[in-house]
Structures are given as structure tokens and as C-alpha cells.
Amino acid sequence: MSVQEPPTDRDGRLDVRQIPFWRRLDAIIAACDRLQPNEALELVVEIDPWPLRQYLEATRRTAFDWQYLESGPQTWRVRVSRLAG
């Protein structure tokens, strides 16, 4: 069974706050894996997603840049960019 993932909107924003917690990681990882070099997405969550950064670094050969745009306490927004080469 495949996981239904939320679409990234045309502005490159992925808001996972309405996705059940146990499905979020798969949706976020799939969106990050779809990024081409030098592309980015804005991730919106209600908790600090720093463990996601650790997970990406541990499981992906591709390097990602991570920039906090908003740091809580209610909303966290992070720009995740796939680095070239």
C-alpha cells in the first residue's frame, strides 16, 4: 500500500500539520527525495524538525542545506534545499 503524500504547493511549500504524525516522515522524505539539485521546499510543522535533519544526513548521500525561517513556538518553517553535486 502506498502512502498518500500531500502535494507541495506551487510555491514549494509542504505543510504537514494536518497529516497524522505517523505518516509525516514518509511524506517529508518523499518530497525531499524529489528535489533536484539547487531546488528547495519550505517545510511547515508545529514542532522543531531538527531530528529530520539528522535523519536526512544519516540516510541520504545527497547533501541538504537547512535554513530556519521561523522557529516556533507554534509554527516552525524550514527551507530545505538539495545541494548540487
Side-chain angles (χ1 to χ4, degrees):
M1 179 166 92
S2 67
V3 173
Q4 178 109 20
E5 57 193 66
T8 304
D9 71 16
R10 75 176 72 156
D11 294 327
R13 185 176 187 155
L14 177 62
D15 187 339
V16 297
R17 292 175 291 183
Q18 301 303 316
I19 299 174
F21 191 76
W22 62 91
R23 291 192 175 165
R24 290 181 185 185
L25 180 61
D26 290 337
I28 295 167
I29 294 300
C32 289
D33 284 345
R34 283 194 307 272
L35 290 174
Q36 297 300 311
N38 298 317
E39 284 187 337
L41 65 84
E42 180 184 324
L43 176 64
V44 182
V45 294
E46 70 270 56
I47 60 172
D48 186 351
W50 69 265
L52 173 65
R53 182 179 193 174
Q54 300 297 322
Y55 182 82
L56 284 173
E57 289 175 358
T59 62
R60 300 295 185 270
R61 289 186 176 183
T62 304
F64 291 93
D65 183 50
W66 192 271
Q67 178 184 10
Y68 282 92
L69 304 173
E70 184 176 349
S71 297
Q74 302 269 327
T75 301
W76 296 77
R77 293 183 316 124
V78 177
R79 185 172 194 269
V80 180
S81 306
R82 177 174 268 192
L83 301 177

